[in-house]
Amino acid sequence: MKTIYNRRQVLQLGAGSVAGLSLLGLAACGGSSNGSSSAGGTKNMQLFFWGAAARDKLTRQTIQLFEKKHTDVKITSQFTAFDAYWNKLSTQIAGGTPPDLIQMDMRYIAEYVKKGLLLDLSSAISAKTIDLSDFDQTLLTGSLVNGKSYGIPLGGNYQAFIYDKDLVAQAKVTLPDTFTWDEFGTVCANLAKALGPNIFGTGDESTNITAFEIWIRQRGLDLYTADGKLGFKADDVASWFSYWDKLRKSKACVPIDVAAEAITGGTPTTNIVKGKAVFTLTLSNLVDAFQALMQHKVGIHMTPTGAQGSQGGMYLKTSQLMSVSSKTKYVDDATKFVGFMINDPEAVKVLSVERGVPGSAKAKELLAPSLTDSQKMVVDYINMVSKSGQSRPKQILDPSGAGAVEQALIRTAQAVGFGKQTVTNGAQSFYADAQKALGG
């Protein structure tokens, strides 16, 4: 039976410990059937990914297409919100039942490779089980670890502000094509003033590592050095915390307690979805996910620019990768599924650009005539940012420990927001924690 979710159910799923179960109604995480077969010889594999209900629906459809062509394979899928994903994945791996197919993020992949948890896909690529002959080389190169592929990019995207177009119209505030960080703060304060006491210009992005990375890169720096150390100083962190402290005081962004509630459930619990903020800083491929959860129309806007003469902060990012567990007993079938996701025409049409604009040239050509207005918005945005001069390639891979750095930022930024630490002390505390996370 096909599962249909209404909006309230979607929000409940997103806020729960596990956002949803797919296909066979998989039980709690850690109950993988990895490596087992039914009496009839069926190969049972598990796929684990983060996302919202909209992504789950498309993923299930893709799995069903694959199973029709590979009748001896059954793939059970499970998804959860991004913030809960990594703890649940670690628990499953520690329990000896890692998923066969693992959605992976560039901020975490080096750590998983270092621990020997992901399969080197070089053989499958050479055999064209995973055919990358027309794949975007910039996207592919940016996903390599030690020069090897441990995951195939499912799409590319840029960092972006997604915003509530209806609230902007209601406030009668004109959005400029571009704005600096200070100008963005002014726009958000004006929005909050026009919309009343319970709606704010933006979510509190002080905890957002994606936003912080843009801030650092606009200063000509990178989050990390080539040898896996921090690429910024405590003063850079202090300037970041100070910026958001000013936005809180001007009521341009949501109060910290409202921000803390929003961070726990992924897309469904963000303040823009809850109608409490106009802007949220995220990734361009999530337009459809936000639109599916909102009655208001959403728009997409470039992130703020740095000071005059600053470098571009945005970069073309691998949205997610599909990786294969190094422990799977079904290497051939698992790698076939990865190749199927990026190259099969039916699968390409189903997945579309929800996980980002595909890397395959044939896939892009196939999708072009059937894109919805919101999907065209995403493609147009990517093309615009590429030509804007506000982006530059990311050339240094996030090192092992980057995930812990992200958690340290969330923890410390909230402490500063709640007044438990000053801006200066918070910056020093986060810097020390981040160094420790990287083994420094």
Side-chain angles (χ1 to χ4, degrees):
M1 181 188 301
K2 182 178 179 181
T3 303
I4 304 294
Y5 301 102
N6 61 35
R7 186 175 185 272
R8 176 172 291 183
Q9 288 170 323
V10 169
L11 291 174
Q12 289 172 339
L13 288 171
S17 62
V18 175
L21 302 177
S22 305
L23 292 179
L24 301 180
L26 183 66
C29 214
S32 171
S33 58
N34 182 30
S36 64
S37 298
S38 69
T42 301
K43 303 168 188 174
N44 293 306
M45 296 194 298
Q46 184 193 126
L47 163 62
F48 191 28
F49 63 97
W50 70 83
R55 177 171 298 166
D56 175 51
K57 180 181 178 180
L58 301 179
T59 304
R60 286 188 288 117
Q61 290 175 1
T62 305
I63 289 171
Q64 288 164 1
L65 288 171
F66 183 80
E67 289 176 343
K68 285 181 181 178
K69 297 183 178 183
H70 302 82
T71 56
D72 60 338
V73 175
K74 277 290 181 184
I75 301 175
T76 305
S77 67
Q78 182 183 22
F79 75 104
T80 186
F82 183 85
D83 292 328
Y85 179 81
W86 302 101
N87 283 338
K88 291 182 179 298
L89 179 58
S90 295
T91 298
Q92 197 165 353
I93 290 171
T97 55
D100 302 88
L101 294 152
I102 304 171
Q103 187 169 285
M104 187 52 55
D105 184 80
M106 288 305 298
R107 213 172 294 283
Y108 289 80
I109 192 168
E111 180 177 344
Y112 279 75
V113 170
K114 184 177 180 180
K115 293 177 179 178
L117 297 171
L118 302 180
L119 183 71
D120 177 0
L121 299 175
S122 300
S123 296
I125 293 169
S126 297
K128 294 200 172 181
T129 303
I130 302 173
D131 188 354
L132 302 178
S133 56
D134 71 339
F135 210 84
D136 185 306
Q137 290 303 301
T138 300
L139 196 60
L140 186 61
T141 300
S143 70
L144 300 178
V145 181
N146 302 325
K148 296 180 179 180
S149 290
Y150 290 90
I152 304 301
L154 297 179
N157 55 28
Y158 277 108
Q159 304 74 22
F161 264 117
I162 290 177
Y163 68 95
D164 187 320
K165 295 178 77 171
D166 290 6
L167 287 181
V168 171
Q170 180 182 327
K172 297 181 180 178
V173 171
T174 301
L175 299 184
D177 292 338
T178 61
F179 36 48
T180 64
W181 286 99
D182 287 342
E183 289 168 343
F184 173 69
T186 300
V187 166
C188 289
N190 291 339
L191 286 166
K193 183 177 180 180
L195 293 169
N198 297 314
I199 303 177
F200 300 85
T202 180
D204 186 332
E205 305 293 347
S206 63
T207 60
N208 189 335
I209 193 75
T210 297
F212 177 63
E213 184 171 25
I214 293 170
W215 181 271
I216 293 300
R217 283 168 54 85
Q218 286 173 342
R219 295 171 169 235
L221 306 171
D222 286 288
L223 276 186
Y224 306 104
T225 62
D227 59 351
K229 306 297 183 183
L230 294 179
F232 55 90
K233 301 297 183 184
D235 286 348
D236 300 310
V237 185
S239 69
W240 177 247
F241 286 165
S242 178
Y243 175 81
W244 288 99
D245 183 59
K246 290 176 183 176
L247 260 62
R248 287 187 212 102
K249 289 176 178 175
S250 68
K251 301 188 184 303
C253 77
V254 299
I256 190 62
D257 57 331
V258 176
E261 291 174 2
I263 203 170
T264 58
T267 305
T269 62
T270 50
N271 283 306
I272 183 176
V273 171
K274 293 160 74 173
K276 296 181 179 180
V278 178
F279 283 95
T280 189
L281 198 149
T282 183
L283 298 167
S284 59
N285 67 293
L286 292 176
V287 167
D288 271 351
F290 277 95
Q291 189 62 80
L293 295 167
M294 295 172 60
Q295 293 182 349
H296 288 185
K297 291 291 185 182
V298 302
I300 190 167
H301 197 288
M302 278 206 307
T303 62
T305 62
Q308 187 173 3
S310 66
Q311 296 191 32
M314 292 180 286
Y315 60 92
L316 183 63
K317 179 184 183 295
T318 297
S319 54
Q320 305 99 27
L321 306 101
M322 187 53 63
S323 296
V324 175
S325 169
S326 61
K327 311 300 182 184
T328 184
K329 293 184 178 180
Y330 303 123
V331 171
D332 289 345
D333 296 288
T335 53
K336 282 178 184 177
F337 181 75
V338 176
F340 183 84
M341 290 184 79
I342 63 172
N343 286 318
D344 181 85
E346 289 182 288
V348 167
K349 287 181 180 179
V350 168
L351 293 172
S352 191
V353 296
E354 194 277 332
R355 279 181 166 94
V357 176
S360 163
K362 291 187 183 71
K364 291 175 188 174
E365 184 179 352
L366 182 66
L367 290 176
S370 59
L371 293 176
T372 65
D373 289 343
S374 61
Q375 291 166 344
K376 289 176 183 176
M377 187 194 310
V378 172
V379 174
D380 290 345
Y381 176 77
I382 286 178
N383 291 334
M384 178 186 69
V385 174
S386 297
K387 300 173 183 176
S388 69
Q390 295 301 317
S391 67
R392 61 184 174 92
K394 179 171 178 172
Q395 298 178 323
I396 299 174
L397 182 71
D398 288 354
S400 178
V405 173
E406 180 178 14
Q407 293 305 309
L409 178 64
I410 294 171
R411 184 172 60 249
T412 313
Q414 287 186 336
V416 172
F418 278 112
K420 295 180 179 179
Q421 288 186 296
T422 66
V423 165
T424 300
N425 289 343
Q428 293 171 345
S429 175
F430 166 65
Y431 195 78
D433 286 349
Q435 285 183 312
K436 184 178 179 180
L438 298 178

